[in-house]
Amino acid sequence: MKNKKLQSMIVVGMLSSISFVLMLFNFPLPALPAFLKVDFSDVPALIAAITMGPVAGVLVAFFKNVLDWIFSGSPTGVPVGHMANFATSLLFILPVYAVYRKVSTKKGIAFGLVIGTLSMAIGMSVLNYFVFLPMYTYFLNMPAQTGNVLYTTIVLGILPFNLIKGLALTTVVLLIFGSMHTWIEKQRSYYLS
């Protein structure tokens, strides 16, 4: 295909579909709140961001959540969980992209993944404290969590969950990156030139 814009749209669509399918294979972690589930749907979004730029990564993260909301729905009627997942994706993939853009090596991607994991863990702790947990309780018509209960949920649930999820994503991305580095660089030179 000679039309780079059309090809980019097709690739974003394919990566969004793969990301949506990966989102279906989620699982909870023992000893952490059951509503927190690990999935590997951020891997295609990260590949899109690294190879085609941050807008492509954001679009993949957005479309996977829209597709999941359409097919799975939301217990609140409002896609609070999907908004939280979208925020999680952005907090993870954008720092990785920013670091890898400056240092396009295996060390660069590894450092970016560490920064992305920390950004996701800290950012989602703050967002859950101020936005997402209050939204859940409001839309589910439950009493709001406050004080020590909210603090405990964040410190003993949200924060460790996102650190573990970031570690899992980092491991998968590093394994993929090792075998796909040449292809990734070829795609970057094509799309980002």
Side-chain angles (χ1 to χ4, degrees):
M1 282 182 229
K2 294 184 179 179
N3 188 339
K4 194 186 290 189
K5 187 174 181 180
L6 176 62
Q7 189 171 359
S8 297
M9 288 169 47
I10 291 169
V11 172
V12 165
M14 289 183 344
L15 288 172
S16 298
S17 300
I18 293 167
S19 192
F20 163 64
V21 170
L22 288 172
M23 201 172 180
L24 297 174
F25 296 102
N26 58 45
F27 55 93
L29 294 173
L32 292 174
F35 66 89
L36 298 171
K37 295 185 179 167
V38 174
D39 64 62
F40 295 99
S41 64
D42 288 333
V43 174
L46 181 60
I47 290 171
I50 288 174
T51 58
M52 295 186 288
V55 173
V58 169
L59 287 173
V60 170
F62 176 75
F63 289 135
K64 74 164 178 170
N65 279 293
V66 169
L67 287 170
D68 190 65
W69 182 44
I70 290 169
F71 284 95
S72 304
S74 171
T76 63
V78 177
V80 178
H82 296 95
M83 288 188 272
N85 187 286
F86 180 65
T88 303
S89 297
L90 297 185
L91 287 167
F92 181 71
I93 66 174
L94 293 178
V96 178
Y97 165 78
V99 171
Y100 189 71
R101 192 183 88 197
K102 301 260 187 224
V103 185
S104 302
T105 63
K106 289 183 181 180
K107 285 183 181 179
I109 193 80
F111 182 68
L113 289 163
V114 169
I115 298 297
T117 298
L118 293 174
S119 166
M120 178 176 66
I122 294 167
M124 286 312 294
S125 295
V126 171
L127 285 172
N128 271 291
Y129 187 86
F130 290 108
V131 180
F132 296 121
L133 288 177
M135 281 176 74
Y136 263 119
T137 57
Y138 175 78
F139 287 115
L140 289 174
N141 235 358
M142 296 169 46
Q145 290 184 343
T146 56
N148 284 339
V149 174
L150 182 58
Y151 180 79
T152 303
T153 301
I154 299 295
V155 172
L156 299 180
I158 307 288
L159 182 63
F161 169 81
N162 282 304
L163 289 171
I164 293 167
K165 180 179 179 179
L167 181 62
L169 287 169
T170 296
T171 304
V172 169
V173 170
L174 288 176
L175 290 172
I176 290 171
F177 188 82
S179 60
M180 293 179 63
H181 181 68
T182 306
W183 178 84
I184 287 171
E185 288 306 311
K186 184 178 176 185
Q187 299 307 309
R188 286 183 78 217
S189 65
Y190 175 74
Y191 287 109
L192 299 175
S193 61

